Amino acid sequence: MIVRLGYVAMSMSVSNASPSKTMTATQFLKLEDREAAIRKLERIAAENIHNTLRLLKHNRAHDIIMYRCSSKLIPLIGHEALRGWNPMPVLSEAFAELGSYAREHAMRLSFHPDHFTVLSTPRDEVLRNSLDDLDRHVTMLEAMGLDESAKCNIHVGGTYGNKKTAADRFVSRFEQLPERIKRRMTLENDDKTFTALETLDICEKVNTPMVLDIHHHQVNHEEGRDSAPELWPRILRTWEGEREQGSDRPLPPKIHVSSPKSEKDPRGHADFIDARVLMPFLRSISALTPRLDVMIEAKKKDEALFKLVEDVREEAGVTLLDQASFEL
């Protein structure tokens, strides 16, 4: 099994390259000239996109082909104070340059919209905002010129007092999504509500790939039922038919990995990844899985990736392929 590693949004190695620079709503509203304030937002967004490109160049230097873009590339987008604002025409060239670089170097990009993007909500206003947010994320991927291999990952959401009703509501809303959005989606199990098994059941109903989060599964599962390796053959099948950017080659399934911050905070994310927990899972699925992409959700971002590679180097049966991938 070939394993490729990626990380989320920020680099600990590249200075002054935040892709999430912003302006608060209070700051925006204090500016008397609204048009000038909007131009300032657009300049910040352009800088965030440029910094993302800088991070992709850093990634290429370290053989990292998988990266999750910040959802905060465009500050205040969707805020009620900016209703009707469409920055995409101004940012189209910057997004196109970013996507061109990703395509040229066969990089796998994704988004993970924030936790307030929930399709299981019973509230109409929250649903409207969630649908708008998904549309914005997909619009950014389209502006980059990336095909449907570039995904948006979300959780099923809250249970609102009745898990079955919430799940049914999610399925109904998901099936009503525009095709251009639906084909970009993946679903992930969470650490408090929908378990891996429950999320997998929903993925099979709506025919969308599942991203297994190992850490979430550790802290949220039914004791004695459905271990991650037992669920894996079904999870693999949800990825059937997915293809890499501009290719007929199968898109590798993706998982998320993080380690508990502490015994007191088992759901929080630690700075680094505990390879002693990750490697047994990887070994258990290796015979079934030719290629796997692993998104690292650790506080130390790319530093955690580099440390994991060093830790994995010491494992039996592991061959490093480059600075960010190995064969097991």
Side-chain angles (χ1 to χ4, degrees), residues 65-258:
I65 59 86
M66 189 171 56
Y67 174 76
R68 182 192 300 166
C69 298
S70 168
S71 285
K72 302 184 186 302
L73 291 177
I74 306 176
L76 297 184
I77 187 76
H79 193 280
E80 60 181 11
L82 284 140
R83 194 164 291 147
W85 174 47
N86 178 15
M88 295 307 294
V90 174
L91 301 174
S92 61
E93 188 174 330
F95 273 120
E97 182 182 14
L98 180 63
S100 176
Y101 189 87
R103 293 195 309 274
E104 180 183 356
H105 300 291
M107 292 179 169
R108 182 178 184 178
L109 304 190
S110 63
F111 279 117
H112 193 339
D114 289 335
H115 64 278
F116 55 76
T117 301
V118 283
L119 298 184
S120 63
T121 178
R123 296 175 55 195
D124 290 342
E125 181 184 3
V126 174
L127 177 62
R128 283 195 301 272
N129 291 337
S130 298
L131 295 174
D132 287 346
D133 195 47
L134 290 178
D135 181 80
R136 285 190 293 269
H137 280 84
V138 169
T139 296
M140 287 189 285
L141 292 172
E142 291 170 340
M144 294 181 211
L146 301 177
D147 67 18
E148 292 165 4
S149 62
K151 304 290 189 183
C152 289
N153 182 67
I154 62 171
H155 299 282
V156 176
T159 61
Y160 308 99
N162 189 317
K163 185 178 280 189
K164 183 183 184 308
T165 300
D168 290 344
R169 195 159 50 227
F170 178 93
V171 170
S172 175
R173 267 80 177 270
F174 190 95
E175 290 177 339
Q176 294 174 48
L177 289 172
E179 284 298 319
R180 58 180 275 274
I181 296 178
K182 193 186 302 184
R183 292 194 298 265
R184 296 265 188 186
M185 302 299 295
T186 59
L187 305 183
E188 172 192 356
N189 57 303
D190 66 65
D191 59 352
K192 291 182 179 178
T193 54
F194 286 90
T195 66
L197 176 58
E198 291 163 342
T199 304
L200 177 56
D201 286 340
I202 290 172
C203 284
E204 291 172 339
K205 285 180 182 177
V206 300
N207 192 30
T208 204
M210 176 171 167
V211 174
L212 175 66
D213 189 301
I214 302 297
H215 183 185
H216 290 174
H217 184 62
Q218 286 177 305
V219 298
N220 182 29
H221 67 277
E222 289 189 39
E223 205 62 46
R225 283 194 66 201
D226 302 303
S227 70
E230 288 171 339
L231 292 175
W232 188 249
R234 286 175 60 190
I235 293 172
L236 261 186
R237 286 195 289 274
T238 68
W239 288 90
E240 288 179 356
E242 298 289 336
R243 294 290 179 263
E244 288 188 330
Q245 170 77 38
S247 166
D248 287 332
R249 193 178 187 189
L251 183 68
K254 182 193 289 187
I255 66 170
H256 290 174
V257 299
S258 52

Side-chain angles (χ1 to χ4, degrees), residues 13 18 23 64 78 145 170 251 327:
S13 308
S18 171
M23 177 196 300
I64 301 168
F170 178 93
L251 183 68
E327 188 167 10

